[in-house]
Amino acid sequence: MMRVRTVHPFSGLVLLMAILVGLAGCSTTAVLTPTVAPLDSEKYAAIVVDAGSGKVLYQNASSEPRYPASLTKMMTLYLLFEAVDSGRIAPTGAIPVSAYAASRPPSKLGLKAGRSIDVQTAILALCVKSSNDVATAVAEYLGGSEERFGAMMTAKARQLGMRSTTFRNASGLPDSEQVTNARDMAILATALQKRFPHHYHVFANRSFSYGGKKIRGHNRLLGRVDGVDGIKTGYIRASGYNLATSAARDGRRIIVIVMGGKSAKSRDAHVEELIEIYLPRAARTAGFPGG
């Protein structure tokens, strides 16, 4: 990913904060008239955001509480990227695996207690496989315990302007107190792109190798819908099928969050429809990842 122009070292941060403030204060008054029928689900919520300007192009129940499921791992990755960039953990470092981490239910990589996983594989496992065992191992390594890491995640959420999100675990496994909304997930997806353009490419991976096996991912829009380059799927029974998606074409980029689908297929079709309608309405923005 190549920068197309030289900018003041603080300009990117200023733009990010402006976008996040705009998202945090968004209301339906600034939203274009919806032209897409919502999914037939009581758990449904959605938002489409111009990633360059922060303008909300579409929303439906975007501020209503929802369960994040594995969209949670976007924040786990945010804190892991921060730890790598700060030197707290080396890119080639190893993350130990506790018995508790190894015992987490699927989706999982199948880590063994007492072993370790290297940082780059951990990142890929979180992005592609959505591995709950890896998420817990990362949480324990960076936070000392998953409970403390959940508090760190929530504190970072507040710092980013995610006012309605509380994290209790690093994976998104069921917890009645782990809640968010579509707007907050859009803030987080935007922050990942803006804050970590040098890491963001990992979200475009559809598979990776581990233990001599090819591990395939869950995001069926990657490679199928032009311009889609991430970012995260999620599902638990309480949440329905969630998807945070980023798509870029012709210098335009949008973030699409859809939560509460009744099936992965219907969710994916809805996200694709939102992309086709709203991506052409986004403004062209030079120097944005993939834009």
Side-chain angles (χ1 to χ4, degrees):
M1 295 174 292
M2 181 173 60
R3 295 185 183 275
V4 298
R5 59 191 176 95
T6 302
V7 296
H8 188 279
F10 293 106
S11 63
L13 179 59
V14 170
L15 176 60
L16 169 60
M17 295 311 298
I19 290 173
L20 298 187
V21 167
L23 278 171
C26 75
S27 68
T28 56
T29 59
V31 178
L32 296 177
T33 302
T35 58
V36 180
L39 292 178
D40 181 19
S41 168
E42 69 281 0
K43 301 172 184 176
Y44 173 73
I47 191 168
V48 180
V49 178
D50 182 332
S53 68
K55 181 179 180 180
V56 177
L57 304 177
Y58 170 86
Q59 73 85 31
N60 190 305
S62 65
S63 295
E64 295 299 314
R66 298 290 186 267
Y67 294 112
S70 282
L71 300 192
T72 294
K73 294 183 179 79
M74 292 194 294
M75 182 59 84
T76 303
L77 283 157
Y78 192 103
L79 295 182
L80 181 54
F81 292 157
E82 275 196 335
V84 170
D85 287 359
S86 69
R88 183 180 173 192
I89 180 172
T92 56
I95 299 169
V97 180
S98 70
Y100 177 70
S103 72
R104 295 298 80 202
S107 177
K108 61 193 299 181
L109 197 57
L111 300 178
K112 303 298 183 183
R115 304 283 184 86
S116 63
I117 181 172
D118 67 273
V119 170
Q120 292 305 313
T121 300
I123 289 172
L124 286 169
L126 292 171
C127 292
V128 178
K129 180 64 174 174
S130 197
S131 302
N132 296 326
D133 50 357
V134 175
T136 299
V138 169
E140 292 177 332
Y141 185 72
L142 295 181
S145 69
E146 190 163 28
E147 181 180 6
R148 185 169 180 273
F149 189 73
M152 292 166 58
M153 296 167 74
T154 302
K156 181 60 65 175
R158 294 295 177 274
Q159 183 182 336
L160 293 175
M162 299 166 63
R163 297 192 297 258
S164 301
T165 299
T166 299
F167 293 111
R168 297 300 187 196
N169 63 57
S171 62
L173 285 168
D175 187 313
S176 61
E177 296 183 351
Q178 182 143 310
V179 294
T180 188
N181 59 32
R183 177 189 58 81
D184 278 7
M185 289 293 100
I187 290 174
L188 179 54
T190 302
L192 278 165
Q193 291 182 335
K194 292 288 188 177
R195 175 69 175 81
F196 305 108
H198 49 296
H199 291 301
Y200 179 73
H201 64 91
V202 299
F203 290 103
N205 284 281
R206 287 183 278 170
S207 65
F208 68 102
S209 296
Y210 177 76
K213 297 180 179 180
K214 187 173 186 178
I215 310 296
R216 299 186 184 276
H218 307 291
N219 192 341
R220 306 305 180 197
L221 297 188
L222 287 170
R224 184 170 69 81
V225 177
D226 181 34
V228 170
D229 57 11
I231 184 169
K232 192 72 194 70
T233 60
Y235 171 80
I236 57 174
R237 185 174 299 176
S239 71
Y241 289 86
N242 298 342
L243 182 59
T245 301
S246 178
R249 297 176 198 159
D250 193 27
R252 298 179 172 91
R253 179 178 287 277
I254 58 173
I255 299 293
V256 180
I257 309 294
V258 169
M259 309 183 78
K262 289 184 176 180
S263 69
K265 184 177 180 180
S266 64
R267 173 204 65 190
D268 291 352
H270 186 58
V271 170
E272 184 173 0
E273 184 180 17
L274 290 169
I275 290 171
E276 297 305 329
I277 290 176
Y278 290 103
L279 184 53
R281 302 185 188 186
R284 288 188 175 92
T285 305
F288 201 62

